[in-house]
Amino acid sequence: MLFREIVIAGCGNPLYGDDGFGPAVVEELQKLQLPDNVKVVDAGLGAPHFLFTLMEDAEVPVKKLIIIDIADFGANPGDVTKLRPEDLPPGAYRDAHSWDLSEPLQRLKDIIDITIIGCQPKRVASHEFELGLTEEVEEAIPKTVRIVLEEIGVEYGAAINHQGTHLWASPGETTGDAGKKPGEQA
């Protein structure tokens, strides 16, 4: 099933510095136990236009779309903001192929609740590969995960991953026996 009621899409390319923010947040979300009606997708660099276009005719109607991406909104690197499709000037949100992503979002906004979570990047490489996020943007990942969980109505502590740890645990700290589901007895 390509879509579920709630779709979380991380956009960007990890090969270009802070542009990898969206996929990095998606990687953390995929470690969590999320409700069955939630689909977390690494939309990468070129897929967002297709992803947003396909949602119009999805077999399972998408009710909520959360997009995670970098956004230059003039803040300090690592600052996070929530935007609506109406906040995107036409042509200001493009994918790697220069396709306007605000256009399909404008069409979808009347049938799907859309939230864009943008992180102010510090450095985005454009001509050479640069692996890894800057420290400021890396530190924005847990905050962004919390915002996403709030958006989908999941409490922080309820989203424990399959290893029994959570994002906010200190290294080596666990929240229970690995592999157990919440509420499962030893």
Side-chain angles (χ1 to χ4, degrees):
M1 184 181 322
L2 184 58
F3 298 119
R4 296 195 183 137
E5 288 182 356
I6 300 173
V7 176
I8 302 167
C11 303
N13 188 336
L15 296 177
Y16 294 108
D18 287 340
D19 194 35
F21 176 73
V25 172
V26 161
E27 187 176 319
E28 292 302 318
L29 286 167
Q30 289 174 334
K31 295 176 184 174
L32 304 177
Q33 293 178 354
L34 300 175
D36 291 340
N37 66 341
V38 176
K39 177 91 172 190
V40 179
V41 179
D42 181 348
L45 195 59
H49 188 274
F50 298 110
L51 190 70
F52 302 154
T53 303
L54 290 171
M55 282 184 189
E56 288 182 275
D57 302 318
E59 183 178 321
V60 174
V62 177
K63 295 181 179 173
K64 186 173 191 67
L65 169 62
I66 300 171
I67 300 168
I68 304 161
D69 205 346
I70 57 169
D72 186 359
F73 54 100
N76 293 318
D79 284 353
V80 176
T81 190
K82 289 199 289 188
L83 304 166
R84 309 296 297 175
E86 297 83 2
D87 299 329
L88 303 173
Y93 188 37
R94 298 184 173 276
D95 71 4
H97 306 291
S98 297
W99 289 348
D100 185 4
L101 296 177
S102 58
E103 185 268 325
L105 294 178
Q106 291 296 328
R107 281 197 327 260
L108 290 174
K109 71 179 173 72
D110 294 331
I111 56 173
I112 299 173
D113 178 27
I114 301 172
T115 300
I116 303 156
I117 302 174
C119 177
Q120 178 70 46
K122 181 175 185 179
R123 188 174 50 248
V124 177
S126 59
H127 300 295
E128 296 180 17
F129 293 137
E130 181 179 322
L131 287 173
L133 304 173
T134 59
E135 183 178 339
E136 293 90 340
V137 171
E138 179 90 33
E139 290 173 354
I141 292 173
K143 177 181 180 180
T144 305
V145 168
R146 287 187 205 114
I147 292 170
V148 170
L149 294 177
E150 287 173 6
E151 285 287 324
I152 64 173
V154 173
E155 292 185 30
Y156 305 145
I160 298 170
N161 71 14
H162 65 282
Q163 296 172 339
T165 61
H166 57 77
L167 284 173
W168 307 280
S170 300
E173 179 184 355
T174 63
T175 57
D177 293 335
K180 296 207 179 307
K181 296 179 179 176
E184 190 174 30
Q185 297 295 319

